[in-house]
Amino acid sequence: MNQNEILEKWSSDPLKFFRNFDCWLSPKNNFDLSGYAFSIESVGSTGGGVLISRRHIISAAHVIGDGGSQSKYPKKIWFTNNKNQTFEYTILGQETIYLDYRNTDLCVCLLDKEVDSSICHYKVLPRDWRSYLASPIPEIPFKSNFAETIPCFYSNQFRTVGVGDLSVTLAKPYTITRDINEIYYKISSSYNASIQGKSLAVIGGDSGNPIFCKVGNELVLMGAWYTGTPNSVNSIPLSSGSYIGNFPSVSALYDEVNKILGKLNYKLQTVNLAAYKTKDLRADMQNIDAIVNAPDRAPASNDNTTFTPAPAPAVVAKGISLLALGTIGYLIWKYL
């Protein structure tokens, strides 16, 4: 299989997912995607859903948050560990983050219970992570010298992985107290010729799916898709520097997210950057060429079953049992 495909196949009744263990973001490269939900009830693979604690996910508010097209709760969510065991949980509700009464499009959702110990949750970058860079992140439009950019991995509704370059924007302040450069980051197709062909457009239905960076041998969560690639440049491959999409940064909204998590005594975990006080963080984050350019391997068996990218089937909630599962607890959590 292609190494940018996260799933080999999935089945329904019961809903189960089977990983492509040759994927770039798999245990073969010491990466763990078990904290990335493969389906959410009523939205399928749209909406993403990525664990930031043992009981909380983030997603796009315009999908399952305030004003979202599928914002009714409770709803089910599915995670699959690295042994291809699929676990079902229930999302009890959500809180959308606002700044100066404006919807940031980042929502935090609460699960009915802690996920299994075989499922990971993700660390984020500390608020001051950019101070560990030897030079600033380039602004849009990029300079042709990709040595200053920061590559990121990202996923979509088809559970395929793309690679792009992180940037900031030349924009007016978004709120009274915050500059848009501190809240939203943009991803553009890579200027690095060796990986540029691995950049994928972000289209309708990809909202809420995650963006990661690499720090050491660890995937670090940056955020979830808000907007995507304009149709005018929605081609494959994308030309170098083409706009792919933007997202609200979890690190920039660190205090707001922690306020929600803290209601149940959870807290965001940040990746330790102490080692980068004496060396440039960017050099480590850029070191992904060997991962994405490794040759595809031949199939390990005669199993010819293929995975056709498509939203997973929605599952109808059953009776009052879901309500009894914890809705009262959720309401207490939300209004604390």
Side-chain angles (χ1 to χ4, degrees):
M1 294 187 67
N2 293 331
Q3 293 184 76
N4 70 337
E5 295 178 2
I6 297 173
L7 294 178
E8 180 181 343
K9 57 185 178 180
W10 60 265
S11 64
S12 57
D13 198 25
L15 193 58
K16 293 187 68 176
F17 298 89
F18 300 87
R19 296 181 174 279
N20 169 20
F21 287 103
D22 207 30
C23 178
W24 300 327
L25 305 186
S26 69
K28 76 169 187 176
N29 289 319
N30 298 313
F31 294 144
D32 190 347
L33 281 182
S34 62
Y36 172 27
F38 289 150
S39 185
I40 299 177
E41 182 181 357
S42 78
V43 296
S45 53
T46 304
V50 194
L51 285 164
I52 55 171
S53 85
R54 308 309 294 168
R55 283 192 68 185
H56 298 86
I57 65 165
I58 61 165
S59 187
H62 72 269
V63 179
I64 60 174
D66 288 359
S69 57
Q70 298 293 333
S71 57
K72 292 184 178 180
Y73 292 91
K75 62 172 82 249
K76 295 182 181 180
I77 186 170
W78 291 266
F79 296 91
T80 298
N81 67 13
N82 290 318
K83 294 184 178 179
N84 277 337
Q85 297 172 299
T86 297
F87 297 84
E88 177 185 295
Y89 300 95
T90 300
I91 305 175
L92 301 177
Q94 65 82 31
E95 281 197 57
T96 296
I97 295 176
Y98 289 79
L99 289 177
D100 294 339
Y101 306 101
R102 298 189 185 187
N103 187 332
T104 65
D105 202 56
L106 186 70
C107 67
V108 178
C109 303
L110 177 68
L111 306 187
D112 60 312
K113 59 184 176 182
E114 290 199 347
V115 294
D116 186 81
S117 60
S118 63
I119 304 295
C120 76
H121 68 280
Y122 295 101
K123 295 178 183 178
V124 300
L125 292 167
R127 284 167 292 188
D128 64 344
W129 73 274
R130 288 161 66 177
S131 68
Y132 289 84
L133 303 175
S135 59
I137 302 172
E139 298 171 332
I140 292 288
F142 281 155
K143 301 174 183 178
S144 59
N145 179 11
F146 70 84
E148 294 185 346
T149 62
I150 294 176
C152 294
F153 296 104
Y154 56 90
S155 184
N156 58 22
Q157 63 192 299
F158 305 112
R159 298 307 184 256
T160 53
V161 181
V163 180
D165 286 334
L166 178 72
S167 71
V168 296
T169 61
L170 293 170
K172 295 180 179 179
Y174 174 71
T175 69
I176 299 171
T177 58
R178 302 279 189 93
D179 188 283
I180 194 170
N181 294 345
E182 297 180 1
I183 300 172
Y184 294 96
Y185 291 143
K186 285 191 176 184
I187 301 291
S188 295
S189 55
S190 180
Y191 266 103
N192 182 343
S194 72
I195 63 175
Q196 186 269 322
K198 313 294 173 65
S199 295
L200 303 175
V202 170
I203 62 175
D206 292 341
S207 297
N209 283 284
I211 302 95
F212 297 99
C213 65
K214 168 190 168 294
V215 177
N217 290 321
E218 186 172 5
L219 284 180
V220 178
L221 180 65
M222 302 200 78
W225 286 119
Y226 171 32
T227 63
T229 314
N231 291 332
S232 59
V233 292
N234 191 0
S235 59
I236 299 177
L238 296 169
S239 60
S240 296
S242 295
Y243 171 79
I244 291 176
N246 74 35
F247 62 94
S249 162
V250 178
S251 300
L253 296 169
Y254 183 89
D255 291 339
E256 289 78 11
V257 174
N258 262 338
K259 183 178 180 181
I260 297 171
L261 269 58
K263 294 178 179 182
L264 293 178
N265 296 319
Y266 291 92
K267 186 179 180 180
L268 286 172
Q269 289 184 275
T270 57
V271 63
N272 186 354
L273 299 182
Y276 301 98
K277 290 182 178 179
T278 56
K279 63 178 182 178
D280 185 11
L281 172 62
R282 178 186 276 104
D284 191 354
M285 299 174 85
Q286 285 183 327
N287 187 23
I288 69 168
D289 296 48
I291 295 172
V292 300
N293 289 321
D296 292 336
R297 301 181 200 173
S301 68
N302 293 323
D303 182 2
N304 294 320
T305 304
T306 58
F307 170 71
T308 302
V315 179
V316 177
K318 296 180 180 178
I320 196 171
S321 60
L322 288 178
L323 295 174
L325 199 56
T327 304
I328 295 175
Y330 158 68
L331 292 172
I332 295 173
W333 166 76
K334 183 170 183 178
Y335 294 106
L336 281 175

